[in-house]
Amino acid sequence: MKPFKIRDIKIDPPLILSPMAGVTDYTFRRLIKRRGGVGLVVSEFISVEGLTRNNPKSKRQMRFDEIERPFAVQIFGGQSERMAMGAEMAEEVGADILDVNCGCPAPKVVKNGGGSGLLREPERLEKILKEIKRAITIPLTLKLRTGYTESTINVVDIAKMAEQCGVEHIQVHGRTRDQGYKGLANWDLIREVKQSVSVPVSGNGDITSIEYGMRKWAESGTDGILIGRGAMQNPWIFRQFADVLAGREPYQPDLNEKKAVLLEFFEMCLEEMPELVALGKMKQLAGQFTKGLVGGAQFRQTLYHSHSVDEILENITTYFNTLTAGGGYGDGVVEADVPQIESCDAFTGGVGSAAA
Ligand SMILES: Cc1cc2nc3c(=O)[nH]c(=O)nc-3n(C[C@H](O)[C@H](O)[C@H](O)COP(=O)(O)O)c2cc1C
Protein backbone atom coordinates (compact mmCIF):
# COMPACT_ATOMS: atom_id res chain seq x y z
CA MET A 1 0.00 0.00 0.00
CA LYS A 2 2.71 2.32 -1.09
CA PRO A 3 2.46 5.14 -3.61
CA PHE A 4 2.57 3.82 -7.15
CA LYS A 5 3.28 5.38 -10.50
CA ILE A 6 1.28 5.70 -13.68
CA ARG A 7 4.30 6.10 -15.98
CA ASP A 8 6.08 9.03 -14.23
CA ILE A 9 3.04 10.31 -12.31
CA LYS A 10 3.20 9.45 -8.64
CA ILE A 11 -0.12 8.48 -7.09
CA ASP A 12 0.61 9.41 -3.51
CA PRO A 13 -1.19 8.35 -1.45
CA PRO A 14 -2.55 5.54 -3.64
CA LEU A 15 -6.13 6.71 -3.07
CA ILE A 16 -8.35 7.82 -5.93
CA LEU A 17 -11.58 9.79 -6.00
CA SER A 18 -13.75 7.60 -8.22
CA PRO A 19 -15.44 9.45 -11.08
CA MET A 20 -19.13 10.15 -10.52
CA ALA A 21 -21.28 11.88 -13.12
CA GLY A 22 -23.21 14.73 -11.58
CA VAL A 23 -20.98 14.65 -8.50
CA THR A 24 -17.21 14.83 -9.13
CA ASP A 25 -17.27 18.16 -10.88
CA TYR A 26 -14.80 21.04 -10.48
CA THR A 27 -16.46 22.08 -7.19
CA PHE A 28 -16.69 18.70 -5.50
CA ARG A 29 -13.18 17.65 -6.52
CA ARG A 30 -11.66 20.76 -4.98
CA LEU A 31 -13.71 20.28 -1.82
CA ILE A 32 -12.26 16.78 -1.50
CA LYS A 33 -8.75 17.83 -2.47
CA ARG A 34 -8.74 20.47 0.27
CA ARG A 35 -9.49 17.80 2.88
CA GLY A 36 -6.27 15.99 1.92
CA GLY A 37 -5.24 12.39 1.41
CA VAL A 38 -6.35 11.96 -2.18
CA GLY A 39 -3.68 10.97 -4.71
CA LEU A 40 -5.69 11.27 -7.94
CA VAL A 41 -8.94 12.91 -8.92
CA VAL A 42 -10.94 12.14 -12.05
CA SER A 43 -13.50 14.23 -13.91
CA GLU A 44 -17.08 13.14 -14.40
CA PHE A 45 -17.37 11.00 -17.51
CA ILE A 46 -17.46 13.28 -20.51
CA SER A 47 -19.22 12.48 -23.77
CA VAL A 48 -16.85 12.54 -26.75
CA GLU A 49 -19.88 13.11 -28.95
CA GLY A 50 -20.46 16.31 -26.97
CA LEU A 51 -16.79 17.27 -26.88
CA THR A 52 -16.17 16.82 -30.56
CA ARG A 53 -19.36 18.62 -31.50
CA ASN A 54 -18.42 21.60 -29.37
CA ASN A 55 -21.08 21.04 -26.74
CA PRO A 56 -20.29 23.75 -24.15
CA LYS A 57 -21.30 21.51 -21.24
CA SER A 58 -18.86 18.79 -22.28
CA LYS A 59 -16.06 21.33 -22.66
CA ARG A 60 -16.83 22.86 -19.26
CA GLN A 61 -16.56 19.42 -17.71
CA MET A 62 -12.84 19.32 -18.57
CA ARG A 63 -12.10 22.41 -16.51
CA PHE A 64 -9.80 21.87 -13.55
CA ASP A 65 -7.61 23.75 -11.10
CA GLU A 66 -3.85 23.33 -10.71
CA ILE A 67 -4.35 22.17 -7.11
CA GLU A 68 -6.19 19.15 -8.46
CA ARG A 69 -3.13 17.67 -10.14
CA PRO A 70 -2.63 14.90 -10.91
CA PHE A 71 -5.93 15.18 -12.74
CA ALA A 72 -7.49 12.62 -15.07
CA VAL A 73 -10.18 13.32 -17.64
CA GLN A 74 -12.54 10.41 -18.21
CA ILE A 75 -14.24 10.14 -21.59
CA PHE A 76 -16.91 7.81 -22.91
CA GLY A 77 -18.17 6.87 -26.32
CA GLY A 78 -18.29 4.02 -28.80
CA GLN A 79 -16.66 5.47 -31.92
CA SER A 80 -12.90 5.18 -32.09
CA GLU A 81 -12.29 8.33 -34.17
CA ARG A 82 -14.36 10.45 -31.81
CA MET A 83 -12.74 8.85 -28.77
CA ALA A 84 -9.30 9.68 -30.18
CA MET A 85 -10.38 13.26 -30.88
CA GLY A 86 -11.84 13.63 -27.41
CA ALA A 87 -8.65 12.22 -25.88
CA GLU A 88 -6.58 14.74 -27.82
CA MET A 89 -8.77 17.55 -26.51
CA ALA A 90 -8.22 16.37 -22.93
CA GLU A 91 -4.46 16.38 -23.49
CA GLU A 92 -4.69 19.87 -24.98
CA VAL A 93 -6.42 21.29 -21.91
CA GLY A 94 -3.60 19.92 -19.78
CA ALA A 95 -5.01 16.75 -18.21
CA ASP A 96 -2.30 14.51 -16.76
CA ILE A 97 -4.07 11.26 -17.58
CA LEU A 98 -6.74 10.13 -20.04
CA ASP A 99 -9.18 7.58 -18.65
CA VAL A 100 -11.66 5.57 -20.71
CA ASN A 101 -15.02 4.62 -19.23
CA CYS A 102 -15.84 0.98 -19.76
CA GLY A 103 -18.31 0.61 -16.95
CA CYS A 104 -21.25 2.98 -17.17
CA PRO A 105 -24.40 0.85 -17.22
CA ALA A 106 -26.80 3.59 -18.39
CA PRO A 107 -28.88 2.33 -21.36
CA LYS A 108 -28.33 5.55 -23.31
CA VAL A 109 -24.57 5.13 -23.08
CA VAL A 110 -24.55 1.39 -23.75
CA LYS A 111 -26.87 1.76 -26.73
CA ASN A 112 -24.31 3.96 -28.42
CA GLY A 113 -21.57 1.39 -27.87
CA GLY A 114 -19.90 3.16 -24.96
CA GLY A 115 -19.48 2.54 -21.23
CA SER A 116 -20.03 -1.06 -20.18
CA GLY A 117 -21.31 -1.79 -23.71
CA LEU A 118 -17.62 -2.08 -24.64
CA LEU A 119 -17.32 -5.15 -22.41
CA ARG A 120 -19.51 -6.97 -24.94
CA GLU A 121 -17.37 -5.83 -27.84
CA PRO A 122 -13.70 -6.32 -26.99
CA GLU A 123 -12.64 -5.72 -30.60
CA ARG A 124 -14.31 -2.34 -30.62
CA LEU A 125 -12.63 -1.50 -27.30
CA GLU A 126 -9.26 -2.63 -28.66
CA LYS A 127 -9.64 -0.37 -31.68
CA ILE A 128 -10.59 2.56 -29.45
CA LEU A 129 -7.61 2.03 -27.15
CA LYS A 130 -5.17 1.73 -30.06
CA GLU A 131 -6.48 4.87 -31.75
CA ILE A 132 -6.36 6.84 -28.53
CA LYS A 133 -2.78 5.69 -27.93
CA ARG A 134 -1.82 7.01 -31.33
CA ALA A 135 -3.49 10.35 -30.61
CA ILE A 136 -2.07 11.23 -27.19
CA THR A 137 1.21 11.28 -25.30
CA ILE A 138 -0.20 11.35 -21.74
CA PRO A 139 -0.86 7.99 -20.05
CA LEU A 140 -4.03 6.12 -20.98
CA THR A 141 -5.96 4.34 -18.22
CA LEU A 142 -9.13 2.24 -18.19
CA LYS A 143 -12.01 1.87 -15.75
CA LEU A 144 -13.86 -1.40 -16.07
CA ARG A 145 -16.67 -3.40 -14.61
CA THR A 146 -16.13 -7.16 -14.25
CA GLY A 147 -18.28 -8.12 -17.23
CA TYR A 148 -21.60 -7.44 -18.89
CA THR A 149 -23.53 -10.22 -17.17
CA GLU A 150 -22.73 -12.79 -14.50
CA SER A 151 -22.35 -15.44 -17.19
CA THR A 152 -20.04 -13.36 -19.38
CA ILE A 153 -17.47 -12.15 -16.87
CA ASN A 154 -14.41 -11.23 -18.91
CA VAL A 155 -12.55 -8.60 -16.93
CA VAL A 156 -9.28 -10.55 -16.86
CA ASP A 157 -9.20 -10.99 -20.64
CA ILE A 158 -10.12 -7.36 -21.19
CA ALA A 159 -7.42 -6.20 -18.78
CA LYS A 160 -4.78 -8.32 -20.57
CA MET A 161 -5.86 -6.96 -23.93
CA ALA A 162 -5.80 -3.39 -22.59
CA GLU A 163 -2.28 -3.87 -21.28
CA GLN A 164 -1.22 -5.03 -24.74
CA CYS A 165 -2.73 -1.85 -26.17
CA GLY A 166 -0.58 0.28 -23.88
CA VAL A 167 -3.04 1.04 -21.07
CA GLU A 168 -0.98 2.05 -18.03
CA HIS A 169 -3.43 1.67 -15.14
CA ILE A 170 -6.47 -0.55 -14.81
CA GLN A 171 -9.26 0.27 -12.39
CA VAL A 172 -11.86 -2.35 -11.65
CA HIS A 173 -15.28 -1.78 -10.14
CA GLY A 174 -16.10 -5.29 -8.94
CA ARG A 175 -19.63 -5.51 -10.33
CA THR A 176 -21.09 -6.59 -13.64
CA ARG A 177 -23.11 -4.24 -15.81
CA ASP A 178 -26.27 -6.19 -15.02
CA GLN A 179 -25.68 -5.87 -11.32
CA GLY A 180 -25.93 -2.10 -11.49
CA TYR A 181 -25.21 -1.19 -7.90
CA LYS A 182 -26.86 -4.23 -6.32
CA GLY A 183 -25.10 -6.75 -4.15
CA LEU A 184 -21.48 -6.32 -3.22
CA ALA A 185 -18.47 -5.73 -5.43
CA ASN A 186 -16.50 -8.91 -6.09
CA TRP A 187 -12.98 -8.22 -4.85
CA ASP A 188 -11.84 -11.77 -5.71
CA LEU A 189 -12.17 -10.86 -9.39
CA ILE A 190 -10.27 -7.65 -8.73
CA ARG A 191 -7.48 -9.76 -7.22
CA GLU A 192 -7.47 -11.98 -10.32
CA VAL A 193 -6.97 -8.94 -12.51
CA LYS A 194 -4.11 -7.75 -10.31
CA GLN A 195 -2.46 -11.15 -10.66
CA SER A 196 -2.90 -11.24 -14.43
CA VAL A 197 -1.29 -8.01 -15.60
CA SER A 198 1.87 -6.13 -14.78
CA VAL A 199 0.56 -2.57 -15.01
CA PRO A 200 -0.80 -1.09 -11.77
CA VAL A 201 -4.34 -2.15 -10.84
CA SER A 202 -6.72 -0.36 -8.47
CA GLY A 203 -9.84 -1.82 -6.90
CA ASN A 204 -13.20 -0.24 -6.37
CA GLY A 205 -16.53 -0.95 -4.75
CA ASP A 206 -18.35 -0.31 -1.49
CA ILE A 207 -15.56 1.26 0.51
CA THR A 208 -17.17 3.45 3.12
CA SER A 209 -15.10 2.50 6.15
CA ILE A 210 -11.42 2.16 6.92
CA GLU A 211 -11.84 -1.39 8.23
CA TYR A 212 -13.61 -2.71 5.13
CA GLY A 213 -11.38 -0.80 2.76
CA MET A 214 -8.12 -1.94 4.33
CA ARG A 215 -9.33 -5.53 4.36
CA LYS A 216 -10.38 -5.59 0.70
CA TRP A 217 -7.25 -3.73 -0.33
CA ALA A 218 -4.99 -6.19 1.47
CA GLU A 219 -6.89 -9.25 0.23
CA SER A 220 -6.87 -8.10 -3.38
CA GLY A 221 -3.26 -6.92 -3.36
CA THR A 222 -4.11 -3.98 -5.61
CA ASP A 223 -1.86 -0.97 -5.99
CA GLY A 224 -4.54 1.56 -5.16
CA ILE A 225 -8.21 1.92 -4.29
CA LEU A 226 -10.95 4.15 -5.63
CA ILE A 227 -13.67 5.58 -3.43
CA GLY A 228 -16.86 7.06 -4.85
CA ARG A 229 -20.01 7.20 -2.77
CA GLY A 230 -18.01 6.98 0.45
CA ALA A 231 -16.49 10.37 -0.31
CA MET A 232 -19.92 11.98 -0.44
CA GLN A 233 -20.79 10.61 2.97
CA ASN A 234 -17.41 11.47 4.38
CA PRO A 235 -15.15 13.92 2.52
CA TRP A 236 -12.36 13.16 5.04
CA ILE A 237 -12.26 9.47 4.09
CA PHE A 238 -9.08 9.83 2.00
CA ARG A 239 -7.30 11.71 4.76
CA GLN A 240 -8.38 9.02 7.22
CA PHE A 241 -6.96 6.25 4.98
CA ALA A 242 -3.77 8.27 4.46
CA ASP A 243 -3.46 8.61 8.25
CA VAL A 244 -3.79 4.88 8.74
CA LEU A 245 -1.25 4.19 5.98
CA ALA A 246 1.16 6.54 7.74
CA GLY A 247 0.55 4.83 11.09
CA ARG A 248 -1.49 7.68 12.57
CA GLU A 249 -4.92 7.71 14.18
CA PRO A 250 -7.52 8.56 11.52
CA TYR A 251 -8.55 12.20 11.61
CA GLN A 252 -12.00 12.86 13.08
CA PRO A 253 -13.65 16.15 12.15
CA ASP A 254 -15.87 17.66 14.83
CA LEU A 255 -19.37 18.99 14.25
CA ASN A 256 -18.19 22.53 13.65
CA GLU A 257 -15.88 21.36 10.92
CA LYS A 258 -18.63 19.29 9.33
CA LYS A 259 -20.89 22.29 9.25
CA ALA A 260 -18.08 24.49 7.90
CA VAL A 261 -17.42 22.07 5.05
CA LEU A 262 -21.07 21.95 4.09
CA LEU A 263 -21.13 25.74 4.00
CA GLU A 264 -17.83 25.86 2.11
CA PHE A 265 -19.32 23.57 -0.51
CA PHE A 266 -22.40 25.74 -0.78
CA GLU A 267 -20.33 28.86 -1.24
CA MET A 268 -18.24 27.19 -3.92
CA CYS A 269 -21.39 26.04 -5.72
CA LEU A 270 -22.89 29.53 -5.64
CA GLU A 271 -19.71 30.93 -7.18
CA GLU A 272 -19.81 28.40 -9.98
CA MET A 273 -23.41 27.83 -10.94
CA PRO A 274 -26.90 29.31 -11.01
CA GLU A 275 -28.61 29.40 -7.62
CA LEU A 276 -31.13 26.74 -8.52
CA VAL A 277 -28.42 24.29 -9.54
CA ALA A 278 -26.41 25.13 -6.42
CA LEU A 279 -29.47 24.37 -4.28
CA GLY A 280 -29.80 20.97 -5.92
CA LYS A 281 -26.11 20.17 -5.41
CA MET A 282 -26.32 21.23 -1.82
CA LYS A 283 -29.30 19.00 -1.14
CA GLN A 284 -27.51 16.11 -2.83
CA LEU A 285 -24.38 16.42 -0.71
CA ALA A 286 -26.14 17.28 2.54
CA GLY A 287 -28.36 14.22 2.08
CA GLN A 288 -25.36 11.90 1.97
CA PHE A 289 -23.31 13.90 4.41
CA THR A 290 -25.75 13.73 7.30
CA LYS A 291 -26.05 9.95 7.11
CA GLY A 292 -25.82 8.60 10.62
CA LEU A 293 -26.21 11.91 12.37
CA VAL A 294 -28.94 12.20 14.96
CA GLY A 295 -32.01 13.91 13.49
CA GLY A 296 -30.49 13.66 10.02
CA ALA A 297 -33.70 12.33 8.49
CA GLN A 298 -35.71 15.28 9.73
CA PHE A 299 -33.01 17.69 8.66
CA ARG A 300 -33.03 16.28 5.15
CA GLN A 301 -36.79 16.72 4.98
CA THR A 302 -36.46 20.41 5.81
CA LEU A 303 -33.59 20.69 3.38
CA TYR A 304 -35.48 19.11 0.51
CA HIS A 305 -38.25 21.61 1.08
CA SER A 306 -35.95 24.63 1.20
CA HIS A 307 -36.30 26.86 -1.81
CA SER A 308 -33.76 29.61 -1.31
CA VAL A 309 -30.19 30.12 -0.22
CA ASP A 310 -31.25 31.89 2.96
CA GLU A 311 -33.64 29.12 3.87
CA ILE A 312 -30.97 26.47 3.40
CA LEU A 313 -28.40 28.38 5.41
CA GLU A 314 -30.88 28.90 8.21
CA ASN A 315 -31.80 25.22 8.28
CA ILE A 316 -28.17 24.16 8.37
CA THR A 317 -27.40 26.52 11.22
CA THR A 318 -30.44 25.41 13.21
CA TYR A 319 -29.66 21.74 12.65
CA PHE A 320 -26.03 21.94 13.66
CA ASN A 321 -26.86 24.12 16.69
CA THR A 322 -29.27 21.43 17.84
CA LEU A 323 -26.64 18.76 17.33
CA THR A 324 -23.98 20.70 19.20
CA ALA A 325 -26.37 21.25 22.07
CA GLY A 326 -27.31 17.58 22.16
CA GLY A 327 -23.82 16.25 21.45
CA GLY A 328 -25.40 13.83 19.02
CA TYR A 329 -22.49 13.15 16.73
CA GLY A 330 -20.82 9.85 16.17
CA ASP A 331 -23.26 7.77 18.09
CA GLY A 332 -23.20 5.13 15.41
CA VAL A 333 -26.85 5.55 14.50
CA VAL A 334 -27.22 4.73 10.87
CA GLU A 335 -30.47 5.82 9.40
CA ALA A 336 -32.28 3.78 6.82
CA ASP A 337 -34.11 6.55 5.02
CA VAL A 338 -31.16 8.07 3.20
CA PRO A 339 -31.89 8.13 -0.50
CA GLN A 340 -29.11 6.18 -2.16
CA ILE A 341 -27.46 7.96 -5.02
CA GLU A 342 -26.87 5.12 -7.38
CA SER A 343 -25.61 4.86 -10.90
CA CYS A 344 -24.91 7.46 -13.47
CA ASP A 345 -28.34 6.94 -15.12
CA ALA A 346 -29.79 9.93 -13.40
CA PHE A 347 -27.05 12.10 -14.78
CA THR A 348 -27.02 11.10 -18.41
CA GLY A 349 -29.89 13.36 -19.38
CA GLY A 350 -27.42 16.04 -20.35
CA VAL A 351 -25.28 13.79 -22.48
CA GLY A 352 -28.02 11.79 -24.11
CA SER A 353 -28.76 14.30 -26.78
CA ALA A 354 -25.09 14.81 -27.47
CA ALA A 355 -24.55 11.07 -27.64
CA ALA A 356 -27.49 10.40 -29.89
C1 LIG B 1 -23.87 8.93 -9.04
C2 LIG B 1 -22.80 8.09 -9.64
C3 LIG B 1 -22.23 8.47 -10.82
C4 LIG B 1 -21.21 7.70 -11.38
N1 LIG B 1 -20.59 8.13 -12.51
C5 LIG B 1 -19.51 7.47 -12.99
C6 LIG B 1 -18.75 8.00 -14.07
O1 LIG B 1 -19.03 9.06 -14.59
N2 LIG B 1 -17.68 7.27 -14.49
C7 LIG B 1 -17.31 6.08 -13.92
O2 LIG B 1 -16.33 5.46 -14.34
N3 LIG B 1 -18.01 5.58 -12.89
C8 LIG B 1 -19.08 6.25 -12.41
N4 LIG B 1 -19.73 5.78 -11.31
C9 LIG B 1 -19.22 4.57 -10.65
C10 LIG B 1 -18.25 4.93 -9.53
O3 LIG B 1 -17.08 5.56 -10.02
C11 LIG B 1 -17.81 3.69 -8.76
O4 LIG B 1 -17.20 2.80 -9.66
C12 LIG B 1 -18.99 2.98 -8.08
O5 LIG B 1 -19.83 3.91 -7.45
C13 LIG B 1 -18.48 1.97 -7.03
O6 LIG B 1 -17.65 2.60 -6.10
P1 LIG B 1 -18.19 3.11 -4.66
O7 LIG B 1 -18.86 1.94 -4.00
O8 LIG B 1 -16.94 3.56 -3.93
O9 LIG B 1 -19.15 4.22 -4.90
C14 LIG B 1 -20.77 6.52 -10.75
C15 LIG B 1 -21.39 6.13 -9.57
C16 LIG B 1 -22.38 6.90 -9.01
C17 LIG B 1 -22.98 6.45 -7.71
Side-chain angles (χ1 to χ4, degrees):
M1 294 164 188
K2 297 189 208 79
F4 69 95
K5 278 187 170 180
I6 302 174
R7 198 183 305 169
D8 53 356
I9 301 167
K10 200 168 180 192
I11 308 303
D12 181 16
L15 303 163
I16 303 166
L17 173 62
S18 209
M20 289 182 286
V23 180
T24 56
D25 59 7
Y26 178 63
T27 311
F28 186 76
R29 293 193 311 264
R30 285 178 303 147
L31 186 85
I32 294 294
K33 198 76 188 185
R34 288 179 191 172
R35 310 279 81 75
V38 62
L40 176 65
V41 295
V42 189
S43 72
E44 305 169 75
F45 71 162
I46 306 177
S47 160
V48 294
E49 297 294 330
L51 270 185
T52 58
R53 290 184 161 86
N54 277 322
N55 178 322
K57 183 190 166 193
S58 308
K59 289 201 148 177
R60 247 192 340 267
Q61 285 178 314
M62 289 204 297
R63 180 173 165 222
F64 67 98
D65 191 284
E66 284 301 311
I67 67 145
E68 295 186 53
R69 290 193 190 278
F71 169 66
V73 163
Q74 187 188 68
I75 56 171
F76 75 94
Q79 306 304 324
S80 54
E81 321 83 68
R82 296 228 169 245
M83 287 293 271
M85 281 165 71
E88 238 177 328
M89 292 168 84
E91 176 158 352
E92 269 165 24
V93 299
D96 299 295
I97 291 169
L98 190 280
D99 187 46
V100 167
N101 180 303
C102 194
C104 179
K108 249 183 234 168
V109 173
V110 171
K111 197 180 76 200
N112 289 300
S116 58
L118 290 168
L119 294 169
R120 282 190 302 194
E121 292 187 86
E123 297 81 21
R124 185 197 284 257
L125 176 61
E126 186 173 9
K127 186 159 184 267
I128 287 174
L129 296 176
K130 285 182 172 162
E131 291 209 14
I132 292 179
K133 271 306 274 185
R134 272 198 288 275
I136 59 170
T137 60
I138 55 173
L140 167 63
T141 66
L142 187 61
K143 183 159 175 284
L144 294 162
R145 280 185 179 243
T146 52
Y148 200 79
T149 65
E150 196 61 30
S151 57
T152 56
I153 284 176
N154 58 353
V155 66
V156 170
D157 289 342
I158 298 261
K160 285 183 184 165
M161 178 272 282
E163 182 175 36
Q164 289 304 313
C165 293
V167 166
E168 292 177 76
H169 178 217
I170 291 167
Q171 303 149 99
V172 185
H173 172 198
R175 287 186 175 86
T176 62
R177 188 265 173 181
D178 273 5
Q179 239 181 308
Y181 288 82
K182 294 195 193 76
L184 283 177
N186 183 338
W187 282 79
D188 292 338
L189 282 171
I190 297 174
R191 189 185 62 233
E192 273 186 48
V193 174
K194 171 61 196 163
Q195 289 169 350
S196 309
V197 293
S198 39
V199 292
V201 173
S202 295
N204 170 232
D206 312 322
I207 298 179
T208 52
S209 74
I210 304 287
E211 296 72 28
Y212 188 75
M214 291 304 280
R215 182 150 56 83
K216 291 296 162 191
W217 197 353
E219 284 171 10
S220 63
T222 53
D223 299 276
I225 52 169
L226 295 92
I227 301 174
R229 293 166 295 176
M232 293 178 76
Q233 289 161 29
N234 171 14
W236 291 269
I237 195 163
F238 298 101
R239 176 167 175 186
Q240 293 170 340
F241 268 103
D243 283 338
V244 171
L245 293 181
R248 296 185 294 263
E249 276 295 303
Y251 180 76
Q252 288 301 341
D254 63 16
L255 273 180
N256 284 333
E257 198 175 348
K258 280 208 142 199
K259 177 183 165 193
V261 163
L262 215 45
L263 296 177
E264 178 185 336
F265 181 68
F266 201 21
E267 213 167 280
M268 289 164 85
C269 287
L270 285 172
E271 276 169 21
E272 289 300 319
M273 48 193 93
E275 187 176 318
L276 201 64
V277 183
L279 286 175
K281 286 263 171 197
M282 187 64 186
K283 291 177 187 180
Q284 180 192 55
L285 185 70
Q288 297 296 310
F289 200 72
T290 52
K291 231 180 172 178
L293 293 189
V294 165
Q298 209 182 338
F299 168 63
R300 284 188 291 278
Q301 281 308 313
T302 50
L303 206 62
Y304 295 142
H305 294 107
S306 305
H307 299 295
S308 71
V309 174
D310 288 345
E311 224 181 310
I312 283 212
L313 292 178
E314 199 183 310
N315 285 330
I316 290 176
T317 306
T318 310
Y319 174 61
F320 276 92
N321 284 348
T322 320
L323 275 185
T324 318
Y329 175 62
D331 58 2
V333 178
V334 176
E335 294 157 322
D337 77 310
V338 183
Q340 287 296 323
I341 301 218
E342 289 194 335
S343 95
C344 42
D345 294 32
F347 301 99
T348 49
V351 298
S353 50

